[in-house]
Amino acid sequence: MSEEEKNKLLAFAARLYYMEGFSQGEVARVLSVSQAKVSRLLKQARAKGIVRIQVEDFQPYDGELEEKLEKAFSLKKAVVLRVPPASSAEAARRSMGFLSAPKVMELLKGVKTLGITGGRSLMETIRFLPSQGWEPGLQVVQLMGNVGAVALESDALELGRMIARKGGGTFFSLNTPAFLADGDTRNALFRHEQVKSVRNLFKSLDAALVGIGTLEDSLFIYQEALKPAQIRTLLAKGAVGEICGRFFGPKGKECPSPYKDQVVSIRLEELVKVPLVIGITMGRDRAPAVAAALRGGLVKALVIDAEGAEGLLEYVSQEPKTKAAEKSRGKGGRA
Amino acid sequence: MSEEEKNKLLAFAARLYYMEGFSQGEVARVLSVSQAKVSRLLKQARAKGIVRIQVEDFQPYDGELEEKLEKAFSLKKAVVLRVPPASSAEAARRSMGFLSAPKVMELLKGVKTLGITGGRSLMETIRFLPSQGWEPGLQVVQLMGNVGAVALESDALELGRMIARKGGGTFFSLNTPAFLADGDTRNALFRHEQVKSVRNLFKSLDAALVGIGTLEDSLFIYQEALKPAQIRTLLAKGAVGEICGRFFGPKGKECPSPYKDQVVSIRLEELVKVPLVIGITMGRDRAPAVAAALRGGLVKALVIDAEGAEGLLEYVSQEPKTKAAEKSRGKGGRA
DNA sequence: TTCTATTCTGAATAAATATTCTCGAGTTCA
DNA sequence: TGAACTCGAGAATATTTATTCAGAATAGAA
């Protein structure tokens, strides 16, 4: 059968299937071949371009907002995702995870030592990371202890494990709670060899993946690691956001609070020195926390949904003289 | 969810499915919905034109050849089918049947009394005729007796039944062999009420569907109703083709042969009077038979494959002074 | 020729997709 | 307030599609 004839056959089969709505079995009966063959013919027809399928394009990345964010905060990279509408925040995070994964993967190119924290958005991103394309000898470092006794699959521990498994690397686990009863206990832990060795890795991180928490809606509250009264105290001290269990004020500096010395996690001063900290967050209401983190240099690349990006830009355009000042006044300045 | 948002969702799902090669289950996981919903989303996306599927067009009807045939033979209608390449004659007939069915159906619009003969091409066409769109009170009349003792599914009997069933009409069966030992037996049969009543219907046919046989490859030979010696005799008498068990010469007039009076079928003189006789045939080698049938007005509408149509036109362009004359000389003129 | 190696097939089967069914949430109307 | 209705969802299931497998056909090499 000549090539041309073959194409006629493919076009005929494809027409019946795609245009007339025949099932493959029906096409098979017309052509006197097996259904299996029809399936193969159709595959060929698609491959040869005899059947063309176009999908109205859905551009999931908003380049314009990305540019604005990069400029506004001197970011290394902003990724703004147009998350398709979803019926729940959970579903939206899932979609965001899917869309963000290839971008995050790009950012992580060449990264050998990667710090990781917990968080639901972060989890969804990590879920969709591929098993290919990682640096050989990848080291994944848990940046903060575990929040609460109930193990969550969005804990730093779990996420670190997952990412190490995908990358075929080693996971360095802290194996401690995130919050301890007092500073002494924490310091005692710090003397433990295992904890010490992991904390030493904090200095040699190439990159880190972090979530950005607010005071209102964070894993700490959800996990009851912090009581409402404690949250109120933090708010009074000017805290607007949290990363790695460390609370910071509007400039992105850690708040001096009693809890500061009870936390097992990378210090914000250390985090600032990490060449690439990728923050992943979602939603409008995170604007103050995100803005602060970006200003403080805690996060150098931001992955955010379009809603959140807009909210963030709106927030900073009206805030400098109002909210920030107000907050600062509210509790005493620097943070 | 706004219409625009909805479309975003559809585009996203469609993109994943059609462009990225995700399964519906995978898309479902990304969107946090059920696979069933994804199936429905995709259907919507297709309906809304968010997904467009184009198939390189395969034009199954050759209008140019149709026109040429209609002009050359003063036909009421010619249908020329570009039959997709097939691995066997059987398969080709099947495809042809499929393509011809809607055209035949169109021709049969308004037909109340329809004559029918046997034949393999005819069978395939009839197979693909729909069960809708027939004239109420349809009458299907068997135009010739059964060829051979072995019942074939391409017999007039079977085909008539099938068409009557589809059309919700009545089938009038001849219930006799096509060839009888001698004229007397036949005439005796003609006196039977049943046969008589059916033969009376021959006069009131609105249309007929017939196959066109050759001397070389016909059901008669296949069914051994005619012996090779008999075929040779017919050839010597100038027969070039056969319809309804009646052999005709190059001008489409019945050959005067001994068998003529042993056949139970519509006479060619009667057939010529039927307003619409649709001949269905396939293949280059049928050219002489088809040409003769058309010239004799035995067939007023022709359904043929492109190959056959080309062969037919080539044949008539070179034949009038050669083959036809030769044949005529060969046996004695008129027929 | 005869022997691989490759390609093609359809039957069987695994996998994916469409549909049916049922339930529950929301709405309208008495 | 609640009955009746619509809508939209997923679980279960029916149907369709893709793949695997084993054998037949074909081509190429010796």
Side-chain angles (χ1 to χ4, degrees):
Chain A
M1 196 185 301
S2 76
E3 192 62 19
E4 197 191 343
E5 277 192 318
K6 178 83 187 177
N7 287 346
K8 291 236 168 125
L9 178 60
L10 295 180
F12 183 58
R15 184 151 282 266
L16 259 37
Y17 184 75
Y18 286 108
M19 315 257 74
E20 312 286 338
F22 281 44
S23 75
Q24 293 185 2
E26 289 171 315
V27 176
R29 246 162 283 137
V30 170
L31 296 180
S32 308
V33 295
S34 65
Q35 174 270 317
K37 172 128 203 211
V38 173
S39 176
R40 287 188 275 249
L41 288 175
L42 292 174
K43 189 195 255 186
Q44 273 189 64
R46 288 188 300 263
K48 279 194 173 186
I50 287 169
V51 173
R52 284 178 302 283
I53 301 182
Q54 303 174 331
V55 176
E56 194 168 278
D57 67 66
F58 172 77
Q59 182 44 262
Y61 307 107
D62 191 320
E64 212 171 302
L65 282 173
E66 288 175 354
E67 229 169 274
K68 280 188 189 168
L69 285 180
E70 284 167 10
K71 195 171 284 177
F73 298 102
S74 313
L75 286 170
K76 278 199 173 169
K77 174 73 187 164
V79 175
V80 175
L81 304 165
R82 291 187 179 134
V83 178
S87 56
S88 71
E90 177 57 32
R93 268 197 294 271
R94 180 72 62 89
S95 293
M96 175 155 169
F98 171 79
L99 291 170
S100 63
K103 294 290 186 174
V104 167
M105 203 55 200
E106 218 168 279
L107 288 169
L108 293 183
K109 195 167 286 172
V111 168
K112 222 167 164 124
T113 306
L114 173 66
I116 191 104
T117 73
R120 288 163 300 176
S121 291
L122 204 47
M123 172 178 72
E124 296 296 351
T125 295
I126 291 172
R127 273 202 175 148
F128 286 104
L129 290 176
S131 305
Q132 308 292 320
W134 296 88
E135 203 63 17
L138 176 74
Q139 297 186 311
V140 180
V141 184
Q142 184 178 357
L143 296 185
M144 68 180 292
N146 303 316
V147 182
V150 180
L152 292 183
E153 55 175 356
S154 56
D155 279 339
L157 180 73
E158 273 310 311
L159 299 187
R161 264 196 225 290
M162 198 189 304
I163 220 168
R165 179 157 35 78
K166 292 200 180 202
T170 318
F171 174 53
F172 295 89
S173 158
L174 270 174
N175 278 323
T176 74
F179 287 94
L180 296 166
D182 55 73
D184 292 342
T185 314
R186 186 187 74 161
N187 292 335
L189 261 175
F190 279 1
R191 269 173 259 123
H192 267 270
E193 197 46 50
Q194 192 189 346
V195 176
K196 207 151 71 181
S197 69
V198 174
R199 291 184 73 230
N200 273 333
L201 285 171
F202 290 177
K203 295 181 185 72
S204 54
L205 293 172
D206 297 322
L209 276 173
V210 305
I212 301 169
T214 63
L215 279 281
E216 294 77 25
D217 167 36
S218 94
L219 269 180
F220 300 98
I221 298 164
Y222 186 61
Q223 286 278 63
E224 297 183 346
L226 289 180
K227 312 237 152 36
Q230 297 177 301
I231 300 286
R232 274 196 298 278
T233 310
L234 282 163
L235 279 171
K237 298 257 185 195
V240 299
E242 166 273 328
I243 287 179
C244 297
R246 297 189 179 269
F247 293 85
F248 51 80
K251 299 242 172 76
K253 301 291 183 213
E254 190 160 3
C255 284
S257 81
Y259 320 111
K260 188 180 165 187
D261 297 323
Q262 295 166 233
V263 175
V264 180
S265 73
I266 190 170
R267 280 176 299 124
L268 295 187
E269 300 94 272
E270 284 176 302
L271 191 64
V272 167
K273 290 184 193 141
V274 175
L276 180 66
V277 180
I278 304 169
I280 301 187
T281 186
M282 164 161 231
R284 252 195 153 80
D285 54 343
R286 303 251 157 154
V290 174
L294 296 180
R295 286 209 188 96
L298 301 175
V299 163
K300 295 180 189 71
L302 182 69
V303 176
I304 193 169
D305 61 313
E307 275 281 298
E310 278 165 11
L312 183 55
L313 288 166
E314 278 169 30
Y315 175 76
V316 298
S317 75
Q318 58 178 78
E319 168 254 18
K321 281 103 212 168
T322 60
K323 292 198 184 174
E326 187 187 309
K327 293 246 171 177
S328 294
R329 229 182 312 115
K331 73 95 192 67
R334 35 146 293 299
Chain B
M1 197 184 300
S2 76
E3 192 60 19
E4 197 191 344
E5 277 192 318
K6 178 85 187 174
N7 287 345
K8 291 237 166 120
L9 178 59
L10 295 179
F12 183 57
R15 183 150 283 265
L16 258 36
Y17 184 74
Y18 286 107
M19 315 257 74
E20 313 285 338
F22 281 45
S23 74
Q24 293 185 3
E26 290 171 315
V27 177
R29 245 162 285 138
V30 170
L31 296 180
S32 308
V33 295
S34 65
Q35 175 270 319
K37 172 127 204 216
V38 173
S39 177
R40 288 188 275 250
L41 289 175
L42 293 174
K43 187 195 256 187
Q44 273 189 66
R46 288 188 301 264
K48 280 194 173 187
I50 287 170
V51 174
R52 285 179 302 282
I53 300 183
Q54 303 175 333
V55 175
E56 195 168 276
D57 66 68
F58 172 78
Q59 182 44 261
Y61 307 108
D62 190 321
E64 212 171 301
L65 283 173
E66 288 176 353
E67 230 169 89
K68 280 188 190 168
L69 285 180
E70 284 167 9
K71 194 173 284 179
F73 296 102
S74 313
L75 287 169
K76 280 199 171 168
K77 173 72 187 166
V79 175
V80 176
L81 305 165
R82 292 190 179 130
V83 178
S87 56
S88 71
E90 178 57 33
R93 268 197 294 272
R94 180 72 62 89
S95 294
M96 174 155 168
F98 171 79
L99 291 170
S100 64
K103 294 289 186 175
V104 167
M105 204 55 199
E106 219 167 280
L107 288 169
L108 293 182
K109 195 167 287 174
V111 167
K112 218 164 167 129
T113 306
L114 173 66
I116 191 104
T117 72
R120 288 164 299 176
S121 292
L122 203 48
M123 171 178 71
E124 298 295 351
T125 295
I126 291 172
R127 273 201 176 150
F128 285 105
L129 290 176
S131 304
Q132 307 293 318
W134 296 89
E135 203 63 17
L138 176 73
Q139 297 186 312
V140 180
V141 185
Q142 185 178 356
L143 295 185
M144 69 180 292
N146 302 317
V147 181
V150 180
L152 292 183
E153 56 173 357
S154 56
D155 279 337
L157 181 72
E158 273 309 312
L159 299 188
R161 264 196 226 290
M162 198 189 303
I163 220 169
R165 180 156 35 77
K166 293 201 179 203
T170 318
F171 175 52
F172 295 88
S173 157
L174 269 173
N175 277 324
T176 75
F179 288 94
L180 295 165
D182 53 74
D184 292 342
T185 314
R186 186 188 72 159
N187 293 336
L189 262 176
F190 280 1
R191 269 173 261 122
H192 268 268
E193 197 46 49
Q194 192 188 346
V195 176
K196 205 148 73 178
S197 68
V198 174
R199 291 184 73 232
N200 274 334
L201 285 171
F202 290 176
K203 295 180 187 75
S204 54
L205 293 172
D206 297 322
L209 276 173
V210 304
I212 301 169
T214 63
L215 279 281
E216 294 76 27
D217 168 36
S218 92
L219 268 180
F220 300 98
I221 297 164
Y222 186 63
Q223 287 278 61
E224 297 182 346
L226 290 179
K227 311 236 155 31
Q230 299 177 298
I231 300 286
R232 276 195 298 277
T233 311
L234 282 163
L235 279 171
K237 298 257 186 194
V240 299
E242 167 271 328
I243 286 178
C244 297
R246 297 187 179 271
F247 292 86
F248 52 80
K251 299 243 172 74
K253 301 289 184 213
E254 189 159 6
C255 284
S257 82
Y259 321 110
K260 187 181 166 187
D261 298 323
Q262 295 166 234
V263 174
V264 180
S265 72
I266 191 171
R267 281 176 296 125
L268 295 188
E269 301 93 271
E270 284 176 302
L271 191 63
V272 167
K273 290 183 192 140
V274 175
L276 180 66
V277 180
I278 304 169
I280 300 187
T281 186
M282 162 163 231
R284 253 197 152 77
D285 54 342
R286 303 251 157 155
V290 175
L294 296 181
R295 286 209 189 95
L298 301 175
V299 163
K300 295 177 189 73
L302 182 70
V303 177
I304 192 169
D305 62 314
E307 274 281 297
E310 279 165 13
L312 183 56
L313 288 167
E314 279 169 30
Y315 174 77
V316 297
S317 75
Q318 58 177 79
E319 171 252 18
K321 281 103 212 173
T322 59
K323 292 196 183 175
E326 188 188 306
K327 293 244 174 177
S328 295
R329 227 182 312 116
K331 73 98 192 74
R334 36 147 291 306

